[in-house]
Amino acid sequence: MDTAVKPQGCTNLKLRQLMRRVAQLYDAEVGKTGLRGTQYSLLSYAVKLGPVRPVDLARAMKVDASTLTRNLRPLIAAGLLVQEAGPDARSRHVRATDAGREKRVEAQRRWRVAQEALNQRLGVQRVVALHALLDECQQLLADLPEGAIDE
């Protein structure tokens, strides 16, 4: 008799459902700054890494180039990021503007509120365990091709 515990349901669906709930919490808070959670993440990466080549930014964020390009447009249009010439004629760099750095500071305050709300709702120990499990799973899946990664 097989008494082993087996997963019930679709892992992909369960992760997507959880992600939608978590994103709603962060978007509600970060949205008070006029940014979506994904825009805050992109702006934060650009501030931390910039000036940075788009290909390196996409790699750091684990998104494909077309997703990055699509997500950059509204932040560039809002004057929060600029795309400028790199060290040679063929390269480009993404850089946060002064307004972008200020918006990141504002959004970071709202992000912290969302993070604390999640910690309170789930419990700090559960969040720490979730982070550890997610990091471990990321490492175990690291050898999968990244071409299909999209946000």
Side-chain angles (χ1 to χ4, degrees):
M1 182 172 145
D2 186 4
T3 59
V5 176
K6 294 182 181 177
Q8 298 295 311
C10 175
T11 303
N12 184 44
L13 177 62
K14 288 181 177 289
L15 285 170
R16 286 179 179 268
Q17 289 170 334
L18 178 60
M19 183 55 218
R20 277 194 293 276
R21 284 293 207 195
V22 171
Q24 286 171 346
L25 189 144
Y26 281 85
D27 283 344
E29 233 6 272
V30 174
K32 294 175 182 176
T33 68
L35 296 175
R36 293 189 340 260
T38 53
Q39 291 173 321
Y40 166 68
S41 294
L42 176 51
L43 186 58
S44 290
Y45 270 93
V47 166
K48 284 189 279 186
L49 301 175
V52 60
R53 296 181 319 155
V55 66
D56 295 330
L57 184 55
R59 186 177 302 118
M61 294 187 70
K62 296 181 173 68
V63 299
D64 64 38
S66 64
T67 299
L68 179 69
T69 299
R70 183 175 59 249
N71 291 341
L72 281 172
R73 283 186 197 122
L75 296 174
I76 291 170
L80 303 176
L81 295 176
V82 293
Q83 198 165 24
E84 55 195 10
D88 62 60
R90 296 180 311 161
S91 66
R92 307 287 292 160
H93 279 122
V94 174
R95 178 180 58 79
T97 63
D98 290 342
R101 284 187 285 284
E102 289 172 18
K103 181 61 77 174
R104 179 186 181 248
V105 168
E106 177 189 356
Q108 191 171 39
R109 283 190 216 105
R110 303 310 321 166
W111 174 88
R112 281 192 189 110
V113 171
Q115 183 69 40
E116 289 303 318
L118 185 70
N119 290 349
Q120 185 175 6
R121 301 269 316 242
L122 297 181
V124 171
Q125 293 207 339
R126 187 174 283 120
V127 173
V128 169
L130 178 61
H131 285 201
L133 181 60
L134 292 170
D135 290 344
E136 182 182 2
C137 290
Q138 285 272 28
Q139 287 180 337
L140 291 169
L141 297 173
D143 64 335
L144 293 177
E146 292 193 27
I149 294 176
D150 195 12
E151 276 190 23

